[in-house]
Each structure stands twice: as C-alpha cells, then as structure tokens.
Amino acid sequence: MQIIDGKAISGEILKECEAKVKTLKAGGISVSLAVILAGDDPASQVYVRNKERACEQCGIRSIRKVYPAEVKEEELLQEIERLNRDPSVNGILVQLPLPPQIDPDRVLLSIDPIKDVDGFHPMNVGRAWTGGESLVSCTPAGIIELLKRSGVSIDGKECVVLGRSNIVGKPMAELLLRENGTVTVCHSHTKDLQKIASRADILVAAIGKPKFITAEYVKEGACVIDVGIHRMENGKLCGDVCFDEVKDKCSYITPVPGGVGPMTIAMLMDNCIRAAIRQKQ
C-alpha cells in the first residue's frame, strides 16, 4: 500500500508554477488573482490566506477585495464587472459561502469565463464536457494530477465516483472519462452502493459523510481517493474514508489531511497561469 502524498505533489506543482510565472514575466506577462471575500466566516478567511501565500510563493500578484456580511448583491456584481474589465486581472475567485442575502449562482455567473479560475462557470463546465479548452474545477483537476504523478493508470480502469456535486463529483467524472476511465457516478439514491463501490479500480469518495467508506466498500488492490474533510469531536480531521480500516486493502490511498486538500490550491495557481496565457493570445 502506498500513501499518496498530496503535500509533496502539490509542492512540485507550485514550484513548476513559480518557474512558469518567471518565464511569463520575462516575456512581459504578469499573472494576478483577485479574491472577493464577503462576511467574516473564519474558515473562509483561512482559505483566502492560504491562497494568498500560494500566490506569493509562485510570484502571482494577489488582490483581496473584502466586504462586510451585510453587503448588497449589486455591490458585489459591480465589483466583479470592474474586475472583468480590468486587463491586469487574470483570475477572479469569489470565496464561498456568501452571506444569505447573496445569490451565489448569480454572482458566479457574472464572472467572465476566461477569468473563472475556480472552473465553476457553466460555459467552462460545458466546454469541459464537450472536450473544449476550459478552466477546470481545481479539486478534480488536482486528483487527476495525484493519480498521474503517483503512477496510477486511469485508461480502461473501472472508476467509481461517490457524490454528484457540481464542484467535485460531476467534473471528476468528466476528467476520468477524458482519461479513458470507465466511470460510474453514485449518489444518495444509488441502490447497492457497496456492491458498485467494491468493483472500482479507482474509488473517489466525495460523499460528505465522515468515515462512511469502510473495508467492504473497497476492492482488494484499489486506489482510494478521499475528498472528504471533517473535524471530529476530539479536534482531529478525518475524511469520508475510514482510513485505518481501508488502508491495508488498497494499492494507493490519500490521507486526510495531506492528500487531496493541498492539491486544490496548487491547481488554482495553475489555472491562474492558464488564464493569463489565454488572455494574451
């Protein structure tokens, strides 16, 4: 059994991003990311700080736009429009969750797809599904990199994705299909979930339930990717997979923390660079 070290692999990608940014700067192209933060959610503030640190490491200019929790939707939309028009801004990210008076769909739709570094805009989602050039959701993109850089072949493999969210489950299925995996997507209405999961060569758990995936859900020698992250009563973090029970049955497994999590920010930096290059073409 090999533990897939997301921290180490994300570090490699960040170094690659740093080198790309230096090359672009030498050619007169700078890279920048604008992050909009509304409200005072502590977790959101931590995520934004982590993104800013990654920007600093890669040489990407970071712009933070902070608004109070009572901000009006129209004010955020006006800010996004300003950033859309600003040629010095390559990527726009709205930190979720937003305050309750804000419609997140309306806000995310207002971002120019070419600057949508989260890969959430329907135009980017549609392009991805039809094989076009697009910015792809960062967590699924990071999982593909984890697999490839760990020597896990996707081509022809039976891949099962547990979860159908727009952020992870659906784009994960699309990216696995793109790599010639045979993909099944399971969800809360799936019958015989255990039976389907246990035939997977590559099992991606994004089900949102702590330690839900136990040994009987896992095929002998499978590669298990745990997208979940939950804080237990003792303060420790765990994923959707019961790691201690499953690890000896796998060929590869991602830990929580230190697996999928660090990859999301690394792929965000990569998306910023891709966006900057496309905008200059």
Side-chain angles (χ1 to χ4, degrees), residues 171-190:
M172 189 73 253
E174 183 275 319
L175 291 181
L176 288 166
L177 279 170
R178 194 185 291 186
E179 299 293 332
N180 300 314
T182 300
V183 183
T184 302
V185 179
C186 298
H187 45 78
S188 57
H189 291 247
T190 299

Side-chain angles (χ1 to χ4, degrees), residues 2 12 22 30 39 87 109 120 151 198:
Q2 180 178 327
E12 291 172 10
K22 282 180 181 173
S30 61
L109 271 171
F120 293 163
S198 64

Side-chain angles (χ1 to χ4, degrees), residues 10-255:
S10 68
E12 291 172 10
I13 292 170
L14 289 172
K15 283 181 183 173
E16 291 165 13
C17 287
E18 184 183 359
K20 288 175 189 173
V21 170
K22 282 180 181 173
T23 301
L24 288 171
K25 280 183 178 173
I29 299 173
S30 61
V31 185
S32 67
L33 170 67
V35 178
I36 295 173
L37 179 62
D40 49 11
D41 180 68
S44 291
Q45 290 173 350
V46 170
Y47 295 146
V48 169
R49 279 199 300 274
N50 289 342
K51 287 163 187 172
E52 288 172 341
R53 285 194 195 104
C55 283
E56 187 179 350
Q57 181 179 339
C58 296
I60 294 171
R61 182 168 70 99
S62 177
I63 306 153
R64 188 196 287 206
K65 301 285 184 179
V66 181
Y67 289 89
E70 60 273 14
V71 64
K72 292 181 179 174
E73 186 176 287
E74 204 55 44
E75 195 174 347
L76 285 188
L77 292 173
Q78 287 170 1
E79 180 63 66
I80 290 168
E81 187 50 39
R82 281 194 292 273
L83 295 169
N84 281 337
R85 291 196 305 265
D86 186 343
S88 72
V89 173
N90 305 115
I92 302 169
L93 184 151
V94 177
Q95 185 63 48
L96 301 175
L98 288 165
Q101 75 276 14
I102 310 288
D103 178 359
D105 290 335
R106 191 171 177 217
V107 168
L108 295 175
L109 271 171
S110 70
I111 299 172
D112 186 335
I114 206 169
K115 296 188 177 187
D116 165 42
V117 287
D118 261 335
F120 293 163
H121 195 285
M123 192 172 288
N124 280 323
V125 174
R127 282 175 180 155
W129 274 102
T130 54
E133 178 71 26
S134 68
L135 295 167
V136 179
S137 187
C138 299
T139 300
I143 290 167
I144 295 294
E145 285 298 313
L146 282 179
L147 292 170
K148 286 183 174 181
R149 292 175 187 239
S150 299
V152 178
S153 172
I154 303 168
D155 196 315
K157 295 291 177 63
E158 180 100 20
C159 306
V160 175
V161 179
L162 306 179
R164 55 175 170 180
S165 73
N166 291 332
I167 294 172
V168 178
K170 290 175 186 174
M172 189 73 253
E174 183 275 319
L175 291 181
L176 288 166
L177 279 170
R178 194 185 291 186
E179 299 293 332
N180 300 314
T182 300
V183 183
T184 302
V185 179
C186 298
H187 45 78
S188 57
H189 291 247
T190 299
K191 292 179 173 63
D192 295 326
L193 180 64
Q194 183 181 313
K195 182 180 177 183
I196 296 168
S198 64
R199 71 180 190 221
D201 301 309
I202 298 171
L203 181 65
V204 181
I207 210 162
K209 295 180 179 179
K211 298 188 177 183
F212 183 85
I213 302 302
T214 50
E216 58 266 27
Y217 284 82
V218 178
K219 175 183 177 180
E220 194 74 43
C223 172
V224 177
I225 304 293
D226 191 351
V227 184
I229 185 158
H230 314 275
R231 192 169 292 280
M232 296 185 290
E233 287 181 8
N234 62 7
K236 291 186 176 180
L237 295 174
C238 74
D240 289 353
V241 176
C242 188
F243 183 88
D244 290 336
E245 190 177 318
V246 167
K247 63 181 172 63
D248 293 329
K249 207 172 179 182
C250 305
S251 57
Y252 295 85
I253 189 169
T254 59

Side-chain angles (χ1 to χ4, degrees), residues 249-270:
K249 207 172 179 182
C250 305
S251 57
Y252 295 85
I253 189 169
T254 59
V256 176
V260 173
M263 296 297 294
T264 301
I265 289 181
M267 298 314 294
L268 173 65
M269 299 299 106
D270 189 63

